């Protein structure tokens, strides 16, 4: 379920821009009839159903607070940007992505309906604190800073990485000092923006020109800035970067910079965490977990077991 408010419409348009940016710059080879050609942008987003067969687990469901079991639903805020995390199919209404599949599968294990509302990435965590939503998804990395005010239940491991144009002299970013004097594009309100801000002093200390950080609320605009030369490098999620550069000629993934666990986000002190953790671990046991990762090509992001607010990966 998604909203149809003006805000939701704007967010949907932004997500479609991100998808369109990938599709418009993708290679024009292949037969449209087999889902590999330019006319088959739809086929670039997997639509295999890996969730509908998931069964309720009474033991996990029993861990839900009595009030949630009584109403039979969980309100979820979903940030929708670009695949493989979450995006819209070409119909402009249907959501698809790894986050979407995991949330729907958890709902089935717990025997509750997921009442999903699309919300801006930067707005979700504050809204959880106010009690507007029960939980949120948005490829939220688990950091020590966030753990002070938010609880997490982990379901994958992703993290921070870089991509650039083929003509970039960058081959691997092992230190942010390598970005000095460059323009870095990244998402607004993300751990990437925080990392860049916290380390801005490195260039000054090295006697170099500072890097210029350009933030974008829309993933499509971020990639267009790179393609058009208005930015030199993109810092984003490892999985998102790998997916995007496969769709766009002239770009390449540079490297993983830092790994982070990714989790469902909750208000601090939530009683929901044990049930959701049990649900994720149940999905691992019955094979659904691996099927979701295979669908989205994110097998290296598998975690051994779901945890509640683990320390930040260092």
């Amino acid at each position: 379920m998604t909203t149809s408010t003006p805000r939701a419409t704007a967010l949907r348009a932004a997500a479609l821009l991100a998808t369109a940016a990938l599709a418009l710059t993708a290679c024009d080879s292949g037969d449209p009839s087999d889902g590999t050609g330019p006319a088959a942008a739809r086929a670039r987003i997997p639509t295999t159903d890996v969730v509908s067969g998931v069964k309720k687990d009474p033991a996990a469901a029993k861990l839900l607070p009595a009030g949630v079991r009584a109403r039979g639903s969980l309100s979820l805020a979903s940030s929708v940007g670009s695949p493989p995390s979450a995006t819209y199919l070409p119909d402009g209404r249907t959501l698809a992505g790894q986050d979407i599949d995991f949330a729907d599968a958890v709902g089935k294990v717990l025997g509750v309906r997921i009442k999903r509302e699309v919300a801006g990435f930067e707005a979700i965590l504050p809204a959880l604190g106010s009690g507007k939503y029960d939980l949120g998804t948005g490829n939220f990395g688990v950091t020590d800073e966030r753990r002070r005010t938010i609880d997490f239940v982990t379901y994958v491991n992703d993290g921070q990485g870089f991509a650039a144009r083929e003509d970039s002299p960058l081959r691997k970013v092992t230190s942010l000092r390598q970005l000095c004097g460059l323009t870095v594009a990244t998402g607004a309100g993300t751990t990437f923006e925080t990392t860049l801000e916290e380390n801005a002093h490195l260039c000054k200390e090295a006697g170099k020109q500072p890097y210029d950080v350009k933030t974008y609320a829309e993933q499509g605009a971020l990639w267009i800035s790179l393609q058009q030369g208005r930015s030199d490098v993109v810092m984003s999620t490892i999985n998102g970067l790998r997916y995007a550069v496969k769709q766009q000629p002239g770009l390449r993934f540079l490297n993983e910079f830092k790994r982070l666990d990714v989790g469902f986000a909750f208000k601090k002190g939530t009683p929901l965490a044990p049930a959701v953790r049990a649900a994720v671990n149940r999905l691992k046991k019955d094979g659904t977990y691996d099927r979701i990762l295979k669908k989205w090509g994110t097998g290296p992001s598998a975690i051994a077991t779901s945890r509640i607010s683990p320390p930040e990966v260092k």
Side-chain angles (χ1 to χ4, degrees):
M1 175 180 177
T2 59
T3 61
S4 57
T5 63
R7 172 63 173 162
T9 300
L11 291 168
R12 183 162 57 248
L16 286 170
L17 173 62
T19 303
L22 300 185
L24 288 172
T25 55
C27 297
D28 290 338
S29 62
D31 178 5
S33 66
D34 67 7
T36 63
R42 176 193 307 269
R44 296 191 181 98
I45 303 174
T47 56
T48 305
D49 177 11
V50 293
V51 174
S52 64
V54 175
K55 304 298 183 184
K56 179 179 177 179
D57 181 352
K62 189 176 181 180
L63 297 175
L64 286 169
V68 174
R69 291 202 305 272
R71 73 172 186 256
S73 65
L74 287 171
S75 61
L76 180 145
S78 179
S79 172
V80 181
S82 59
S85 180
T87 189
Y88 285 98
L89 293 182
D91 64 12
R93 298 183 304 274
T94 306
L95 288 170
Q98 181 172 266
D99 285 353
I100 307 303
D101 283 344
F102 270 118
D104 289 347
V106 164
K108 286 186 170 292
V109 171
L110 297 178
V112 295
R113 178 171 169 246
I114 298 296
K115 298 173 65 175
R116 182 179 285 107
E117 181 174 316
V118 175
F121 177 91
E122 68 281 4
I124 292 178
L125 298 185
L128 294 171
S130 71
K132 184 176 181 180
Y133 306 108
D134 293 316
L135 69 163
T137 57
N139 207 64
F140 289 115
V142 181
T143 66
D144 290 338
E145 177 66 26
R146 284 177 172 170
R147 290 194 306 133
R148 295 173 185 171
T149 57
I150 297 291
D151 280 341
F152 293 93
V153 172
T154 59
Y155 57 98
V156 292
N157 178 274
D158 194 347
Q160 304 176 343
F162 293 96
R165 295 184 302 277
E166 287 285 3
D167 61 2
S168 172
L170 288 171
R171 288 296 180 267
K172 186 176 183 180
V173 178
T174 57
S175 168
L176 296 183
R177 291 185 180 88
Q178 294 171 255
L179 305 179
C180 296
L182 302 180
T183 298
V184 186
T186 196
T190 61
T191 59
F192 320 114
E193 182 182 11
T194 300
T195 297
L196 291 166
E197 289 176 347
E198 290 179 345
N199 291 278
H201 61 90
L202 295 176
C203 293
K204 182 178 180 180
E205 292 170 357
K208 299 181 178 180
Q209 288 293 318
Y211 48 70
D212 182 22
V213 180
K214 299 293 186 184
T215 60
Y216 297 88
E218 302 171 358
Q219 287 291 306
L222 183 154
W223 287 110
I224 291 171
S225 78
L226 183 63
Q227 289 278 21
Q228 294 181 347
R230 288 183 281 111
S231 58
D232 301 299
V233 61
V234 166
M235 186 178 189
S236 190
T237 65
I238 294 167
N239 288 335
L241 291 172
R242 289 188 186 279
Y243 188 98
V245 299
K246 287 180 181 179
Q247 306 297 325
Q248 302 181 77
L251 302 183
R252 54 186 166 80
F253 178 76
L254 296 181
N255 63 288
E256 297 181 7
F257 185 71
K258 179 182 180 179
R259 278 277 174 178
L260 284 174
D261 288 323
V262 170
F264 293 101
F266 305 82
K267 179 179 180 179
K268 191 69 178 177
T270 178
L272 291 168
V276 175
R277 176 182 59 182
V280 174
N281 286 329
R282 177 63 189 178
L283 294 173
K284 287 191 66 68
K285 186 175 181 180
D286 70 16
T288 302
Y289 183 93
D290 289 337
R291 286 190 287 273
I292 292 174
L293 295 190
K294 182 178 180 180
K295 173 181 176 179
W296 295 104
T298 54
S301 283
I303 57 175
T305 187
S306 177
R307 296 187 291 168
I308 297 174
S309 298
E312 180 178 344
V313 176
K314 301 297 184 181

